[in-house]
Amino acid sequence: MQLLTKGQKLQQAYRAHIEPYSKHLQFAVTLTLKQSALVRVKRFTNYGNNYYEFRQQLNEQTLNSTIKRFTKTFTSQIYGNYAKHKNKQSWACPLLLVTVEGRNTHKRTHLHLAIGNIPQSKHQNIEQHIRTAHERCDFANKEICVKAIYHAQGWLGYITKELGYTDNDALDIVSSTIPQFIQQRI
């Protein structure tokens, strides 16, 4: 019997932590990010059309705000105003497991997402909804890949491949969203 390294134990622990959500996952998504972006901010809120432009590098803070903006925009597109109602918030939010790759390697920084809890009526246009939400982020790059999940454990294994090796913080638990009704079932 071969002993596991600390990195392999960490990887197994993360996989065991997110595995119960696998039966609720529907889509596998990869979103690429730019390393820097030209950010435009309107100078005056209620007067004129002047903008202040500056170049911003991708760092931890901008990465976290990009994930947060994508999640908020995507949720709004899928659920509309239901996501804002107090009595509907327990189910009107997507299951979103987020991993960030490329921070500590030579690869371009990109996000792997495992998405679930999407209404059947939105499945046909899911790629367009994801693309629109991603394009509204300042650091969005053009490369997007959206596929239906047929083997959720395989995708979860793939998105956690860097854990314990090149990036122990690849799985972004803070940015992941889990609807309340799914949490109660697990």
Side-chain angles (χ1 to χ4, degrees):
M1 183 173 135
Q2 184 180 7
L3 295 175
L4 297 176
T5 65
K6 288 181 183 179
Q8 290 170 330
K9 289 179 185 177
L10 178 67
Q11 190 179 58
Q12 284 183 346
Y14 271 115
R15 287 178 180 169
H17 177 71
I18 61 175
E19 194 276 328
Y21 304 111
S22 64
K23 62 184 174 185
H24 300 284
L25 298 175
Q26 299 163 313
F27 298 99
V29 179
T30 301
L31 306 173
T32 57
L33 300 173
K34 296 176 185 175
Q35 299 307 306
S36 68
L38 187 64
V39 179
R40 293 183 65 190
V41 180
K42 198 167 184 177
R43 275 186 204 244
F44 305 107
T45 309
N46 58 358
Y47 177 76
N49 290 324
N50 293 337
Y51 287 91
Y52 174 67
E53 294 183 350
F54 61 97
R55 178 133 323 255
Q56 178 72 45
Q57 296 295 320
L58 184 66
N59 55 33
E60 285 300 316
Q61 183 180 6
T62 55
L63 179 64
N64 291 336
S65 66
T66 299
I67 295 170
K68 189 175 182 178
R69 177 156 173 93
F70 172 80
T71 302
K72 190 171 183 133
T73 306
F74 181 66
T75 302
S76 175
Q77 285 187 357
I78 297 298
Y79 294 102
N81 285 335
Y82 287 144
K84 296 177 185 177
H85 290 271
K86 295 285 184 208
N87 62 342
K88 295 177 176 84
Q89 286 179 341
S90 66
W91 60 267
C93 106
L95 170 61
L96 210 65
L97 300 176
V98 180
T99 59
V100 181
E101 286 188 7
R103 285 186 288 197
N104 300 333
T105 62
H106 63 280
K107 293 191 268 183
R108 179 185 295 274
T109 304
H110 59 283
L111 306 174
H112 288 302
L113 307 172
I115 299 177
N117 194 34
I118 304 298
Q120 190 68 34
S121 62
K122 303 288 183 174
H123 283 211
Q124 189 173 7
N125 299 351
I126 192 68
E127 186 171 352
Q128 186 57 40
H129 291 300
I130 292 170
R131 187 174 300 280
T132 302
H134 185 56
E135 286 173 353
R136 291 189 181 163
C137 299
D138 290 328
F139 289 90
N141 205 354
K142 294 180 183 179
E143 299 168 20
I144 294 176
C145 182
V146 179
K147 295 185 179 182
I149 290 182
Y150 299 107
H151 187 284
Q153 286 90 0
W155 180 247
L156 292 178
Y158 179 75
I159 67 176
T160 57
K161 69 184 177 291
E162 285 192 1
L163 289 168
Y165 296 100
T166 57
D167 190 1
N168 290 339
D169 295 329
L171 182 63
D172 193 349
I173 293 177
V174 174
S175 296
S176 298
T177 59
I178 302 167
Q180 199 172 32
F181 83 96
I182 292 176
Q183 287 178 6
Q184 292 170 350
R185 290 182 182 178
I186 293 177

